[in-house]
């Protein structure tokens, strides 16, 4: 078995068999060829896509791009390939002092007020909450079509959520996609103060413990800056991408233990 087929086999969940597994392997293989400099159908990335599928989503993420719906028609997706990119170094992420104080205080709270962290316990409700408009906005980029595909990716063991609960109620969370050693943070939500920050802090710790190599987020000049997000050029990002997606890493179900 060659190098790329081995990588593809490590990404495809073992429970997928027959035609579905072969199709997914073909999509992943072509994505790896594209990002590694090989030849592939460039038109796939030149035009907006009317229908988003799990296989198309995976191939896009493997190439370092990500889908965003058009403002005037959220059923049509355009693949973005921005320069620079924002990453949070897996081994060198930061936790601000105010969040550290919040985490330490949380451990002293009564049980019904204390945050509880779970992994993949309620992915569907997490993405539903992430899709709700915030502030004065009436729409969000997480469309119904996007949610359907993400739910399929979750069933395939590729999309994940880290969730914050308080007194048994889901109050915050973060969701993303894991492709071997490459993790893409996609969205967060909170209904109580600090719930999304706490979930994200646990995610960062988890990525480090699980051995992830590359973590991409939103704009480094945004909310993610407090966790050590930095901008890197697209070329530098792509040089890190190949080693990450070829690293034999698994997003486990383990909730990490924070050292405060």
């Amino acid at each position: 078995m060659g190098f790329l087929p081995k990588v593809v086999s490590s990404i495809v969940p073992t429970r997928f068999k027959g035609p579905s597994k072969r199709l997914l392997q073909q999509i992943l293989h072509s994505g790896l060829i594209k990002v590694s400099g090989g030849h592939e159908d460039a038109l796939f990335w030149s035009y907006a896509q009317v229908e988003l599928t799990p296989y198309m989503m995976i191939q896009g993420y493997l190439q370092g791009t990500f889908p965003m719906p058009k403002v005037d028609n959220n059923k049509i997706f355009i693949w973005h390939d921005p320069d620079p990119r924002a990453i949070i170094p897996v081994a060198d992420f930061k936790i601000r002092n105010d969040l550290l104080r919040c985490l330490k205080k949380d451990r002293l709270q009564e049980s019904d007020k204390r945050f509880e962290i779970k992994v993949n316990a309620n992915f569907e409700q997490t993405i539903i909450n992430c899709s709700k408009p915030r502030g004065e906005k009436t729409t969000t980029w997480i469309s119904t079509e996007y949610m359907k595909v993400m739910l399929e990716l979750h069933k395939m063991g590729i999309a994940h959520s880290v969730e914050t609960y308080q007194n048994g109620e889901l109050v915050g969370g973060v969701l993303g996609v894991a492709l071997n050693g490459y993790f893409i943070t996609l969205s967060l939500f909170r209904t109580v103060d600090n719930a999304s920050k706490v979930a994200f802090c646990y995610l960062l710790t988890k990525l480090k413990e699980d051995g992830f190599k590359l973590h991409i987020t939103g704009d480094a000049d945004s909310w993610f800056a407090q966790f050590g997000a930095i901008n890197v050029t697209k070329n530098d990002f792509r040089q890190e991408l190949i080693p990450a997606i070829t690293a034999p890493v698994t997003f486990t179900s383990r909730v990490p233990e924070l050292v405060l």
Side-chain angles (χ1 to χ4, degrees):
M1 181 181 292
F3 174 67
L4 288 183
K6 286 182 180 179
V7 173
V8 170
S9 296
S10 70
I11 297 175
V12 179
T14 55
R15 65 178 179 275
F16 280 79
K17 299 181 179 179
S20 295
K21 183 173 182 178
R22 287 194 294 272
L23 176 59
L24 181 55
Q25 287 175 329
Q26 290 171 2
I27 294 294
L28 293 173
H29 188 267
S30 62
L32 286 171
I33 290 176
K34 178 74 175 181
V35 75
S36 62
H39 59 283
E40 198 57 41
D41 186 5
L43 290 178
F44 181 89
W45 307 107
S46 301
Y47 296 97
Q49 303 297 323
V50 177
E51 181 181 3
L52 193 65
T53 67
Y55 310 113
M56 186 185 300
M57 185 91 81
I58 293 169
Q59 189 177 29
Y61 286 140
L62 281 172
Q63 297 185 42
T65 61
F66 58 92
M68 291 293 289
K70 293 185 66 176
V71 175
D72 57 344
N73 187 345
N74 64 9
K75 291 186 177 182
I76 298 179
F77 289 82
I78 296 176
W79 292 89
H80 287 262
D81 191 14
D83 190 4
R85 295 297 181 84
I87 66 172
I88 295 181
V90 175
D92 300 313
F93 64 87
K94 300 176 181 178
I95 303 178
R96 290 198 328 190
N97 288 335
D98 56 344
L99 182 54
L100 281 173
R101 287 193 294 269
C102 171
L103 291 167
K104 291 178 180 179
K105 180 180 178 181
D106 180 67
R107 291 186 174 182
L108 303 176
Q109 296 272 24
E110 296 179 5
S111 59
D112 62 335
K113 295 181 180 180
R114 193 179 306 143
F115 286 138
E116 180 185 7
I117 302 299
K118 298 181 181 180
V119 176
N120 289 328
N122 197 340
F123 181 89
E124 182 172 4
Q125 191 58 52
T126 299
I127 194 171
I128 289 173
N129 289 352
C130 286
S131 71
K132 294 178 181 179
R134 302 165 195 178
E136 299 179 354
K137 295 181 179 179
T138 58
T139 60
T140 69
W141 66 272
I142 300 180
S143 65
T144 301
E145 289 74 17
Y146 183 88
M147 289 176 60
K148 290 179 180 178
V149 173
M150 288 300 296
L151 287 170
E152 290 186 58
L153 290 180
H154 176 62
K155 292 178 182 178
M156 294 165 64
I158 293 173
H160 304 278
S161 60
V162 177
E163 307 143 11
T164 309
Y165 292 79
Q166 194 173 67
N167 198 21
E169 180 182 354
L170 179 64
V171 295
V174 53
L175 59 88
V177 168
L179 293 168
N180 281 0
Y182 175 45
F183 192 89
I184 309 104
T185 288
L186 297 170
S187 186
L188 305 94
F189 88 93
R190 65 171 175 85
T191 57
V192 301
D193 288 345
N194 295 312
S196 58
K197 290 182 180 180
V198 170
F200 193 59
C201 181
Y202 272 87
L203 171 65
L204 293 174
T205 304
K206 179 171 182 55
L207 294 180
K208 183 176 181 179
E209 287 188 359
D210 284 348
F212 278 79
K213 308 302 180 183
L214 180 61
H215 176 203
I216 189 171
T217 65
D219 189 348
D221 299 323
S222 67
W223 183 84
F224 294 104
Q226 63 189 291
F227 294 96
I230 58 174
N231 281 322
V232 296
T233 67
K234 184 165 65 175
N235 287 338
D236 287 343
F237 166 72
R238 290 194 178 279
Q239 287 182 9
E240 293 189 47
L241 181 59
I242 285 291
I245 60 180
T246 55
V249 177
T250 300
F251 189 94
T252 69
S253 60
R254 182 178 61 253
V255 176
E257 185 72 29
L258 296 188
V259 179
L260 303 177

